[in-house]
Amino acid sequence: MTDQVQFYGQSFDSRFLIGSALYPSPAVMADAVQASGSQIITVSLRRQAPEQQAGKTFWDFIQELGCTLLPNTAGCHSAKEAVTLAQMSRDLFETDWVKLEVIGDEYNLQPDPFGLVDAARTLIDDGFKVFPYCTDDLVLCQKLLDVGCEVLMPWGSPIGTGKGLMNPYALTMIRERLPGIPLVVDAGIGLPSHACQAMELGYDAVLLNTAVAEAQNPAVMASAFKQAIEAGRSGYLAGHVPERQTAKPSTPTLGMPFWHQDHG
C-alpha cells in the first residue's frame, strides 16, 4: 500500500511541499519542481498574479506542472490584511486552500500568534481550508486546532535562515501531543539532512523554498531533498533504537568460543 499523506481529505504520494519564489527563472523553477516530485506548490498573489503581464510566463509554467496550488498570504502583517489577500487568492486561483501567514516581527519574520488565530477563525468560518504557518509553540498549535484548522505548519527555524530544526524538543512535543493531526515543518530547512530529521520525528511532510531556489543547481538540490524526505519517513516507520547512556555491544559474547594460546 502506498504511504500517502492526507490534507483536508485529499491524498498525496509526495510528502514534499515546495515553494515557487526566488528562482532565477520560471524554467529553473519548473525543472526543480519536477525533480522534487512534489504535488503541492505554494504561490503568492503578491508576487505572481497571473493576470499581470509580468507574471504571465510564470503562471503558464505553474499550470503546466499540474500541481495542487497552495496560495499563501506572504507579507501580511495583520489578520485583516491576510483575510483580504486570502479571499482575493481564492477568486484568482480558484481554490479554498490557503497557507496562512501573519507576520508579527519584521526582523525574524516570526508569525503573530494572536493575528494568526484571529485570521484562521475568520477564514475557516468563510469556508477556507487553512494551513497556518506558526511557531513551534504547543499552546498556539492547540488554539489553531480549536478554531478549526486541520493541518499545522510549525517552523523549523525562521524563514530563509537555513538553520534547520532549532528546537527538536518543541517539535517532538507537538507531534506527541497532537497524534493524528497532519504536521508539516515549514521554514528554516537548509539541508536535506534537516528535512530527513523532521521526517524522523514523525512529521508528515516538509515545506521549503529557499534551500532549493537559491542552490547552485536547484533541480539537483530538489532531488536530494526528495530522497532525504523519503529516507526520513522510512526511518520513522521502521522504528528507531532508543538512546542509551551506556554502550551496548552489537556482537553478543554469550556462546562465543574462547580462544587461548597454548604455550605447551
Side-chain angles (χ1 to χ4, degrees):
M1 180 180 294
T2 303
D3 178 37
Q4 294 183 315
V5 60
Q6 283 201 347
F7 300 125
Y8 288 102
Q10 294 190 44
S11 298
F12 299 90
D13 295 322
S14 174
R15 293 173 179 271
F16 186 178
L17 287 65
I18 194 166
S20 59
L22 305 176
Y23 294 90
S25 73
V28 171
M29 180 272 296
D31 287 344
V33 173
Q34 290 175 333
S36 74
S38 178
Q39 296 168 299
I40 300 174
I41 184 170
T42 63
V43 292
S44 173
L45 177 63
R46 288 183 183 276
R47 301 192 182 102
Q48 49 225 24
E51 84 283 0
Q52 298 175 357
Q53 187 59 40
K56 181 66 167 62
T57 300
F58 178 90
W59 182 240
D60 289 342
F61 275 98
I62 289 287
Q63 290 181 306
E64 291 173 5
L65 292 170
C67 294
T68 296
L69 299 182
L70 179 59
N72 66 41
T73 61
C76 293
H77 291 78
S78 70
K80 182 178 179 180
E81 186 182 10
V83 168
T84 299
L85 189 61
Q87 292 169 338
M88 293 172 62
S89 294
R90 178 168 60 183
D91 294 339
L92 187 60
F93 296 117
E94 298 180 345
T95 178
D96 56 5
W97 280 26
V98 62
K99 176 188 171 185
L100 179 60
E101 299 182 35
V102 182
I103 300 304
D105 182 80
E106 197 62 47
Y107 178 75
N108 68 357
L109 301 180
Q110 179 173 327
D112 173 358
F114 308 102
L116 189 64
V117 172
D118 287 345
R121 180 187 294 109
T122 299
L123 290 172
I124 288 167
D125 288 344
D126 193 25
F128 280 88
K129 296 177 174 63
V130 178
F131 293 68
Y133 164 59
C134 59
T135 58
D136 52 11
D137 185 298
L138 175 61
V139 174
L140 171 57
C141 289
Q142 292 171 326
K143 295 295 184 183
L144 289 166
L145 294 178
D146 290 343
V147 299
C149 293
E150 296 181 17
V151 178
L152 299 173
M153 304 178 74
W155 69 359
S157 52
I159 295 173
T161 62
K163 292 182 176 295
L165 309 189
M166 294 191 68
N167 195 340
Y169 171 79
L171 291 173
T172 299
M173 285 298 99
I174 293 172
R175 176 70 288 172
E176 291 181 356
R177 294 290 302 277
L178 304 176
I181 300 299
L183 299 176
V184 182
V185 171
D186 176 17
I189 300 295
L191 296 170
S193 57
H194 299 158
C196 185
Q197 182 185 11
M199 300 304 294
E200 288 173 338
L201 293 180
Y203 276 69
D204 297 281
V206 170
L207 192 160
L208 59 92
N209 189 169
T210 307
V212 168
E214 295 189 352
Q216 292 183 13
N217 191 322
V220 172
M221 184 61 80
S223 177
F225 271 106
K226 174 185 177 182
Q227 296 173 68
I229 289 168
E230 291 172 349
R233 177 64 179 174
S234 295
Y236 171 72
L237 293 177
H240 62 81
V241 298
E243 293 185 5
R244 300 182 178 92
Q245 296 298 319
T246 58
K248 179 181 179 181
S250 57
T251 303
T253 56
L254 185 65
M256 293 284 289
F258 180 75
W259 300 94
H260 67 279
Q261 184 176 2
D262 187 355
H263 296 283

